[in-house]
Amino acid sequence: MKFPRLVDRARHSAAEGFTTATIELPGSGDRPRRPAAEQARADLRRALEAGEPVGDEIVDALVLPLVDQAVPERQAALDALLPLPAPGLTTSSPGRSRHNGGMSSVPQRSAFARARAGGPAGPGSGGTDLRLYREKFRRRLPSDLLELRGPAEGIVEPPATVVWSGLRAFDLGNERQRMSLYRTVLAEGMREDLCTLLNHDLLLRLWPTLRILVSTTVRDVWEEAFPELRALADLPAAQPPARRRPHEGAAVA
């Protein structure tokens, strides 16, 4: 059974006239668990609980094998979907495509894979794809972190263009919801979203942990642009917050 968020995203895209499919990541949902990934998750939890920096080897062990399997699956799905007509569009209408997913590193990994395979230069090549992918995030950046004037407390409800399914209201007093909101906004938000949803002081406080939860492209683009974030790179990540028990207050739905 697919995750409800995947189904919600698919229905939202179908309602806008896209031919739609959902793909669970390897090891997710009903798909078989991957022992190596489970071990990497355990190593990640141990490092966070000990307040130690999370090394690249842990991140690579967790992410890269997963993406290596997900990339060809994604490519096969696109090959099957792109020739299909979108409902409501005439044959003379320009084609449209959309890709949503929790693994923002998949396009980046695809670019690296094509580059290693010696793909042709120019549009669609690995190096070009990666540069365009980085440029997408770079163009969204504020000119100064002080432009991030979002709330530091209370309930935040991002627009549907940023969070289109699942949890839609985030309690900034809840550590897990706060981290989830910032991770999502950094990956999906446009410049206006960044400035109205993110808070300068809160971003600085969360960055030592947040930087290991976002994609390497998002992390690198922000740290290259803002020295104050780069200066926090060597600080240990915070211990993951404990989950609230029901009597301690239910999460906002």
Side-chain angles (χ1 to χ4, degrees), residues 107-146:
Q108 179 177 351
R109 186 64 173 170
S110 300
F112 279 129
R114 283 195 295 272
R116 286 200 304 266
S125 67
T128 300
D129 283 356
L130 183 54
R131 286 193 297 273
L132 292 174
Y133 188 60
R134 287 174 57 86
E135 183 66 11
K136 176 183 76 169
F137 290 107
R138 193 192 67 77
R139 286 176 178 269
R140 299 175 181 179
L141 294 175
S143 57
D144 192 294
L145 287 184
L146 292 176

Side-chain angles (χ1 to χ4, degrees), residues 56 134 137-138 141 145 186 203-204 206-235:
D56 289 342
R134 287 174 57 86
F137 290 107
R138 193 192 67 77
L141 294 175
L145 287 184
L186 288 170
L203 178 67
L204 291 175
L206 297 177
W207 191 253
T209 301
L210 193 59
R211 68 185 302 275
I212 67 174
L213 300 178
V214 298
S215 73
T216 55
T217 299
V218 170
R219 181 193 68 199
D220 291 347
V221 165
W222 279 77
E223 290 187 352
E224 287 169 8
F226 303 113
E228 52 266 64
L229 293 180
R230 189 164 60 248
L232 301 172
D234 294 330
L235 293 182

Side-chain angles (χ1 to χ4, degrees), residues 144-161:
D144 192 294
L145 287 184
L146 292 176
E147 295 180 19
L148 305 179
R149 298 174 181 172
E153 58 184 14
I155 305 298
V156 177
E157 298 185 31
T161 52

Side-chain angles (χ1 to χ4, degrees), residues 50-204:
E52 301 171 351
V54 177
D56 289 342
E57 66 280 359
I58 295 179
V59 178
D60 288 349
L62 179 62
V63 175
L64 296 187
L66 174 64
V67 176
D68 280 336
Q69 184 176 346
V71 165
E73 291 179 352
R74 168 181 170 268
Q75 187 61 57
L78 289 174
D79 289 344
L81 286 173
L82 289 178
L84 298 177
L89 296 182
T90 66
T91 55
S92 61
S93 299
R96 301 188 301 165
S97 65
R98 167 186 290 171
H99 173 253
N100 291 322
M103 285 297 295
S104 57
S105 56
V106 167
Q108 179 177 351
R109 186 64 173 170
S110 300
F112 279 129
R114 283 195 295 272
R116 286 200 304 266
S125 67
T128 300
D129 283 356
L130 183 54
R131 286 193 297 273
L132 292 174
Y133 188 60
R134 287 174 57 86
E135 183 66 11
K136 176 183 76 169
F137 290 107
R138 193 192 67 77
R139 286 176 178 269
R140 299 175 181 179
L141 294 175
S143 57
D144 192 294
L145 287 184
L146 292 176
E147 295 180 19
L148 305 179
R149 298 174 181 172
E153 58 184 14
I155 305 298
V156 177
E157 298 185 31
T161 52
V162 177
V163 179
W164 48 85
S165 63
L167 189 66
R168 297 297 304 275
F170 297 80
D171 181 0
L172 293 178
N174 180 306
E175 292 179 85
R176 287 184 180 273
Q177 291 186 30
R178 183 170 63 229
M179 194 68 73
S180 177
L181 171 67
Y182 271 59
R183 180 184 182 187
T184 303
V185 173
L186 288 170
E188 306 291 348
M190 304 302 289
R191 179 177 300 184
E192 180 180 356
D193 301 315
L194 299 173
C195 293
T196 58
L197 296 173
L198 302 182
N199 177 274
H200 165 264
D201 294 332
L202 196 49
L203 178 67
L204 291 175

